[in-house]
Amino acid sequence: MPGDFDHAQLTKRPPWQHYTVLVAGLALISGVGLYYFAALGVAVITLLYLLCVLWAAYFLRFGHALLTAVIAVLLINYCFIEPRYSFGVASLQSWAMLTVFATLAFMVSRAMQQLKQQRQQAQQAAQQSRFFQSLAELLAIQSSVARLLQAACQHVQEVFGWQVGVVQLSDTDALTWLAGAPVASLQASSVQWALDYQRAIGMGTADWPELGACLLPFGSAQHEVLVVVGHTSADLHFLRLLTHQCAQATIKLRQQIALAQAARDASEADFKKTLLTALSHDMRTPLTAILGAANVLADGDIALAPAQATQLLQSIQAEASYLTQATENILTLVKLEAGSSSLHLDWASPQEVMQHVAQRYLQRTPAVRLQMTLSELGSQEILFKADAVLVAHALANLIDNALQWREEGSTIEIAMSLEASSLVLSVRNQGPGFPPGFVISAFESSKSAAAGVRGFGLGLSIVQTVMQLHGGQIEIGSSADQRTEVRLLLPFVYAADLIKADT
């Protein structure tokens, strides 16, 4: 997971254990050398003592290694150099051997110390690299500045055990803790000094080392200060890198939030423009037609044949029906703009939703040729959680689209079936179908209606948005009998399972 960091601490043994091992090693070599002196000889025993010096140089300090070398020289001189059991040296060869051993012990100890320091620095660099990588992954998934800073402080405390916080100085010189536990002894004056001079102050620095904490400003363009307590094992360079990463992540997140807000503002402005354009086009035209037909019917000076009067009445009815649908689309567009917070979700029966929509079309004059097909679902009742009004409106939009593009006199079919784990509501019609590669796209206010086609095509976009808000899908294709088919796929449950879960 993001932020995970393997920070296994190196187990440090108490110093007395190392001293015990070293003394035991010297004693063991001395005992083995005395017992097997004739077989081993002075040269082999000297090499064994050199191993003790190397061990001391690796696990202890350089001074301990030198002390071990001195003790080894004395033991070799006393126990194994003629005259034995005295500190006298009888020959130049013995002096040369002791001198070479001491010099070699010094040089090897020095080299071992340097090697140990390089290894520790490499381990520290690798640990810091893993830490910064894990911190970057953790900060990248935060959605707010407050959560980002809190996650950073918590992660540092989990890894290193330091008390870390982020403080901000207000215009009234009041300290506001944005993350981490407050430090009671921290004064506003010290925070102000760090911000004014953009320098780290406090523990581990040359400025105000008596503060008991280290204060590191985020940067000249920011007003936050990182406060670190109990960091005696860290160097100032590492703390500056930590502060820089937190500051950069904060700047990036604030920029992302600002861009997202700007995008929302632009989307809202475009939505308002879209709404006004739709109102102007989708309402003015049918209102003009209705008003014209009504004026003709109301004018007593115009003699109309019964067929003409009937045609005008049917025109008024058709335009009023279109106006109703356009109004519902615009109101639905307003509701969908509010997102999922505007939904009124409840358990509903898909059969009832379909019957309600079908009844509206069957009651028209003349009635729409509409056929409703329910696949065999067994004895179990099907329910789905949705805003039934929006789903019904989406289904009505599909029927209106099918009516506009169907072949004259053909029947529109609405069907319900179960497919895998989805409830499928389908609308089928005999018509030209959708062009190859057709994709439902968001409404574009600058796009004009095609010649002979009314409206701006809000219907399918609204259907797609309704499906997205309900966790469903919309599919466009052809049915088995080569009719155009639009399918709405929604999650569902069996009513018996729902009742069982409630009990």
Side-chain angles (χ1 to χ4, degrees), residues 339-410:
S340 58
S341 60
S342 65
L343 297 181
H344 300 286
L345 299 178
D346 199 0
W347 294 108
S349 169
Q351 294 96 326
E352 293 181 1
V353 174
M354 291 178 61
Q355 290 171 356
H356 173 75
V357 174
Q359 193 67 24
R360 292 172 53 187
Y361 289 91
L362 294 175
Q363 290 176 349
R364 289 187 182 181
T365 304
V368 175
R369 299 186 61 179
L370 193 65
Q371 174 187 349
M372 188 167 66
T373 303
L374 301 178
S375 300
E376 184 62 35
L377 303 177
S379 59
Q380 297 195 63
E381 183 181 359
I382 301 298
L383 296 176
F384 71 118
K385 195 165 190 178
D387 188 323
V389 175
L390 279 182
V391 174
H393 185 69
L395 199 58
N397 272 330
L398 295 182
I399 295 174
D400 286 335
N401 189 73
L403 288 173
Q404 182 177 355
W405 295 101
R406 67 171 176 168
E407 292 181 358
E408 187 67 27
S410 61

Side-chain angles (χ1 to χ4, degrees), residues 53 100 139 151 286 333 338 371 373 396 434-435 458 486 498:
V53 176
V100 170
L139 299 184
L333 193 63
Q371 174 187 349
T373 303
F434 294 91
L458 289 175
V486 181
L498 186 62

